Amino acid sequence: LETINKELSSSTEYMNSKHPKEKDEYTLYWIRWPMCIFFTSSIVASGLGMVGFTAISNNLTGIYGVSSMTTTMLVLPFIFLFIPCIFPAIFLIEKYGIVIPVYIASISLLVGAWIRILVNENFYFVIAGQVLMAIGQPFMLSAPAKLAALWFGDNERAIATTLGSLASPIGGILGFLLPLIFIGDNDNLPNEDCKHKFWMYTLVQNIVITVLGLPIILLIRNTPPTPPSASAEKASKAKKTGFIKPIAKLVKNRDYLFLMLSFSFIYSIYTTLGSCVGAISKEFGYASSANSLFGSVYIIGGLVGSFAHAILLDKYSKYKLQYIIIGVL
């Protein structure tokens, strides 16, 4: 027994002398989860600001005497400005880290949101606020994968990236449902009572956006003191390839161009229907409460489909087949 105990002791000492180095070499810092949670909440806030007026767009045409095209402009800036803003966002993330883009996104989100409180002075203050929020959105949406790669271990990155990816649809659902509390189907007249109700809804929406979007400014950090994994350490030491060369290489890749175009067509249908649901439903006699239901079901269906396709893809790896099915649907 003494011999066995000595062998077990020597084996344990060997294991303890070998593995602590690996554990100590890659430290996971506690602040990564608060950063991820508040990063996710700021994207929820951005999604809320993006579609927060879509369900009641028909009410706004009556309350403020604006056209359907004008109310559609409350969402369109997020679509039009995404492409020209995503390139500087990626450049800043790759060049300087995630702090500067997050500051730009958060400040534009908060300032843009509170500009809209002047809606009863002039309705175009709402559009100006939406434009400012739209400018900052790509700086936030392009950072979840980078945050996960810089701060999380290999077995945590998937969930950290998923939280960031699901945040915008969750914000969209909140944006479709929240107006129901303040604006009724009959609140569509150009009187002070209806204007006050919309002002109150805008105030509450701004408070929610501030609560969700402000904390990340205080917590965000570029990188941890030490890399969280071997892959992160390798990436930190890798030579930077620049910003233009990878884009030029992608443009020359025919398969990538086909995928980009096909995904663009699918996404354009999604964004078009989401932004114009009020104007479309109005032609069929539906009220604002129905718009909230349409938009919520629309986004929830997308979330359920995403999980279903992810599970099937992970199990069968039939990329082309699933993409054809998605395209047909």
Side-chain angles (χ1 to χ4, degrees):
L1 289 174
E2 289 181 2
T3 304
I4 293 174
N5 286 332
K6 287 181 181 179
E7 290 179 357
L8 288 174
S9 299
S10 61
S11 175
T12 303
E13 290 175 1
Y14 170 75
M15 295 294 289
N16 289 337
S17 65
K18 182 177 180 180
H19 292 280
K21 183 178 179 181
E22 297 178 1
K23 292 181 180 179
D24 293 337
E25 186 178 357
Y26 302 113
T27 304
L28 297 175
Y29 296 88
W30 66 270
I31 199 174
R32 72 192 188 282
W33 284 113
M35 276 201 303
C36 182
I37 291 170
F38 288 119
F39 193 91
T40 301
S41 70
S42 66
I43 299 177
V44 172
S46 180
L48 168 60
M50 177 180 176
V51 301
F53 302 130
T54 301
I56 56 173
S57 60
N58 296 334
N59 299 69
L60 296 180
T61 59
I63 296 173
Y64 291 100
V66 294
S67 66
S68 297
M69 183 61 192
T70 302
T71 57
T72 304
M73 283 298 298
L74 299 176
V75 179
L76 290 181
F78 290 88
I79 301 172
F80 290 147
L81 294 174
F82 190 87
I83 293 178
C85 291
I86 190 66
F87 292 107
I90 295 174
F91 171 78
L92 288 175
I93 288 173
E94 295 299 324
K95 184 75 173 179
Y96 301 106
I98 58 178
V99 170
I100 294 177
V102 168
Y103 281 167
I104 293 173
S106 299
I107 292 172
S108 65
L109 172 67
L110 297 176
V111 174
W114 284 101
I115 285 177
R116 304 175 308 169
I117 206 69
L118 299 172
V119 57
N120 287 338
E121 300 296 327
N122 192 310
F123 184 79
Y124 287 94
F125 277 115
V126 180
I127 296 179
Q130 294 294 100
V131 169
L132 190 56
M133 295 167 71
I135 291 173
Q137 189 184 65
F139 291 86
M140 188 67 74
L141 294 182
S142 56
K146 195 70 172 180
L147 177 71
L150 292 172
W151 282 90
F152 288 84
D154 291 335
N155 61 339
E156 298 175 331
R157 287 179 191 166
I159 187 171
T161 305
T162 301
L163 285 174
S165 301
L166 294 178
S168 188
I170 292 173
I173 295 172
L174 185 60
F176 275 109
L177 295 178
L178 190 60
L180 289 176
I181 302 173
F182 300 90
I183 310 293
D185 292 340
N186 296 322
D187 294 326
N188 54 8
L189 300 175
N191 55 44
E192 293 302 317
D193 181 57
C194 291
K195 288 183 179 181
H196 179 71
K197 287 182 178 180
F198 180 70
W199 184 88
M200 282 298 299
Y201 165 60
T202 305
L203 176 64
V204 172
Q205 188 191 115
N206 289 349
I207 293 173
V208 174
I209 288 174
T210 302
V211 171
L212 294 176
L214 183 61
I216 191 62
I217 298 178
L218 307 176
L219 288 176
I220 193 66
R221 304 287 186 276
N222 264 329
T223 56
T226 57
S229 65
S231 58
E233 183 179 21
K234 183 179 179 181
S236 65
K237 295 179 179 179
K239 184 180 179 181
K240 300 292 184 180
T241 58
F243 182 70
I244 302 300
K245 289 183 179 179
I247 295 178
K249 188 175 181 179
L250 286 174
V251 171
K252 297 177 182 178
N253 188 316
R254 188 185 66 173
D255 294 333
Y256 169 78
L257 292 177
F258 278 128
L259 282 173
M260 182 192 70
L261 289 173
S262 55
F263 276 111
S264 297
F265 290 139
I266 292 175
Y267 186 70
S268 66
I269 296 172
Y270 162 76
T271 54
T272 301
L273 290 177
S275 61
C276 300
V277 62
I280 295 173
S281 65
K282 182 180 179 180
E283 299 300 322
F284 296 91
Y286 289 101
S288 299
S289 56
N291 294 338
S292 296
L293 179 62
F294 294 154
S296 300
V297 171
Y298 188 53
I299 297 175
I300 292 172
L303 292 174
V304 173
S306 297
F307 280 112
H309 281 288
I311 293 171
L312 293 172
L313 193 62
D314 184 58
K315 185 174 182 179
Y316 298 107
S317 298
K318 300 291 185 180
Y319 292 89
K320 185 175 181 179
L321 176 61
Q322 280 194 234
Y323 182 73
I324 292 173
I325 293 173
I326 293 171
V328 171
L329 292 175

